[in-house]
Amino acid sequence: MKRYLLIFLVATFTFTIFAQGTYIPRITKDDVFQGEVKVAPLPDSLVLVDEDEYVLQKGDRISILVMDHIEFTKTKILVLPDGRIEYPLLGSIKVAGLTSAQLSAIIKEQLRPYVTIPVVTIYIDKMYGHNLNIIGYVNAAGEYQIYEPIRITDALALAKGIVNIREVKTIRIIRKDGEVFNVNLKHIWFADSKDLEYREHLLLYPGDTLVVPPPRRFNWRLYTGIITTLTFMLQIYLAFR
């Protein structure tokens, strides 16, 4: 009976310790080259254009500055789901589908009854859907606006690097369409000719999320609790032996 009880206690302790970890599948270079991991296509809306050519869309944030007229200057205006903005005195204006130059011309025309020679400047503060989320074990987690695909190393630089790079072996990429896979960092830091090609396949796109998992720490509280429980059970066993 004593032997079976000890076997049970040891098995329970071992299972509890190892159950704390979560298996994370890794994507290898062969997975990428054989097509098992899709390379995200460049979104149709991701076009590098001059600010005057960018077409405003729902969800953008813009600022409208009218020289020498603070009452008509408004910053960080959200383009609403109906494609409109609310502007002082002029009311609701349809802006989705317009370039900043076209919007500037419209506002100039509508301000003429109130301003002799209106000088209007449109700034695009934030483009909707052009964000990269970086979370986890980095120095500056957050949402970063990007306008073209970027390398993982550049994304980590935006987040001011990993807290302790020696403690992280893999990172996770979550695509905008929901595809999830992990990348072994040794293929990023120590790239040979083939690794370099692999790294170039793993670009991050607007709407993606980069997760840097924190290092696994030994749970001393759990360990102490298990030892306390085992000691208590052993005392009970010895008392009724």
Side-chain angles (χ1 to χ4, degrees), residues 20-208:
Q20 298 305 305
T22 303
Y23 172 70
I24 302 177
R26 296 184 182 182
I27 299 300
T28 66
K29 292 179 291 183
D30 291 336
D31 292 329
V32 174
F33 295 140
Q34 293 171 9
E36 294 183 24
V37 176
K38 301 179 216 171
V39 177
L42 190 67
D44 293 336
S45 62
L46 185 59
V47 181
L48 298 179
V49 296
D50 182 78
E51 187 173 275
D52 285 340
E53 298 176 352
Y54 175 75
V55 176
L56 296 171
Q57 58 181 315
K58 303 170 185 178
D60 287 349
R61 286 189 180 274
I62 63 175
S63 292
I64 303 174
L65 279 66
V66 182
M67 184 180 294
D68 297 329
H69 289 274
I70 299 177
E71 68 274 19
F72 292 117
T73 293
K74 191 172 182 181
T75 61
K76 298 181 180 179
I77 311 171
L78 175 66
V79 180
L80 300 174
D82 62 358
R84 296 179 174 274
I85 63 171
E86 294 297 325
Y87 188 72
L89 193 63
L90 303 183
S92 179
I93 302 176
K94 179 76 171 180
V95 302
L98 301 176
T99 65
S100 58
Q102 290 171 332
L103 177 59
S104 176
I106 290 173
I107 294 178
K108 283 181 183 179
E109 185 63 29
Q110 295 189 17
L111 284 179
R112 290 191 187 281
Y114 314 101
V115 180
T116 305
I117 304 177
V119 178
V120 179
T121 305
I122 309 294
Y123 292 99
I124 302 174
D125 298 317
K126 188 175 182 180
M127 298 178 184
Y128 176 76
H130 289 252
N131 297 319
L132 170 67
N133 299 302
I134 305 176
I135 60 177
Y137 196 56
V138 292
N139 290 300
E143 185 179 75
Y144 296 90
Q145 191 162 82
I146 60 175
Y147 305 102
E148 59 183 337
I150 64 173
R151 294 187 295 268
I152 292 175
T153 50
D154 295 331
L156 291 174
L158 289 175
K160 302 188 184 302
I162 299 173
V163 175
N164 188 340
I165 199 170
R166 297 180 181 178
E167 296 183 309
V168 177
K169 305 300 181 184
T170 61
I171 57 176
R172 175 169 295 182
I173 296 174
I174 304 175
R175 294 293 191 200
K176 186 176 182 179
D177 62 3
E179 181 187 12
V180 181
F181 58 93
N182 287 5
V183 179
N184 193 322
L185 278 181
K186 75 177 182 179
H187 299 309
I188 303 299
W189 307 136
F190 310 104
D192 56 25
S193 58
K194 190 174 181 180
D195 286 334
L196 184 61
E197 182 182 354
Y198 164 73
R199 185 173 67 182
E200 295 303 319
H201 277 71
L202 295 175
L203 297 174
L204 296 169
Y205 296 81
D208 287 352

Side-chain angles (χ1 to χ4, degrees), residues 203-220:
L203 297 174
L204 296 169
Y205 296 81
D208 287 352
T209 299
L210 176 63
V211 182
V212 181
R216 180 181 173 185
R217 307 291 188 185
F218 190 81
N219 194 332
W220 287 104

